[in-house]
Amino acid sequence: MSERYEGKPLLRLLELYVLDAIGSLDAKDEALLQQMAPKLSQTYGVEGSWKEIIQSVMELPDNMQSLISDMWHRNKEIAKQNSTDLQAEHFAMMFVDQNLS
């Protein structure tokens, strides 16, 4: 999986942003992201929380997390109708690949 992120520094941050939007970001990652916020701010020249920095850098709309959450719920329902379990991490990777990279 590390090859996935090689040369793509924002990729994992975007996946974590999606996981946060769907309520699946674990506490450990949340704490690490909060600690990273000052460095992200310095790197990208944007003030705010890690989520606000990602939104600004990627020029995402203010309601992006809500849009992601809505899509998550729709896709979970589709998966359920097809007797499949959609995993949060897999959804985050697919969402980023299809919409943010």
Side-chain angles (χ1 to χ4, degrees), residues 3 30 36 38 41 44 55-56 64 81 87-88 97:
E3 289 178 15
E30 173 69 30
M36 286 177 62
S41 179
Y44 294 108
Q55 278 185 241
S56 177
M64 187 63 172
Q81 291 171 3
Q87 299 295 313
D97 289 348

Side-chain angles (χ1 to χ4, degrees), residues 31-98:
L32 288 171
L33 289 163
Q34 288 178 9
Q35 289 176 347
M36 286 177 62
K39 181 66 174 169
L40 290 171
S41 179
Q42 180 183 7
T43 299
Y44 294 108
V46 177
E47 294 294 320
S49 69
W50 71 271
K51 286 185 274 192
E52 292 167 335
I53 294 166
I54 295 300
Q55 278 185 241
S56 177
V57 168
M58 295 301 297
E59 299 178 354
L60 301 175
D62 290 341
N63 67 336
M64 187 63 172
Q65 289 213 315
S66 176
L67 296 171
I68 293 168
S69 178
D70 291 346
M71 184 178 285
W72 164 247
H73 291 293
R74 283 193 310 271
N75 281 288
K76 281 226 19 127
E77 188 56 39
I78 291 168
K80 184 179 177 182
Q81 291 171 3
N82 291 304
S83 301
T84 304
D85 184 32
L86 181 58
Q87 299 295 313
E89 189 71 41
H90 189 232
F91 173 80
M93 293 169 87
M94 288 188 320
F95 185 90
V96 169
D97 289 348
Q98 293 173 5

Side-chain angles (χ1 to χ4, degrees), residues 1-9 11-12 15 93 97:
M1 182 137 86
S2 64
E3 289 178 15
R4 173 175 171 74
Y5 306 107
E6 202 168 296
K8 302 173 187 171
L11 188 59
R12 184 62 185 156
E15 291 170 358
M93 293 169 87
D97 289 348

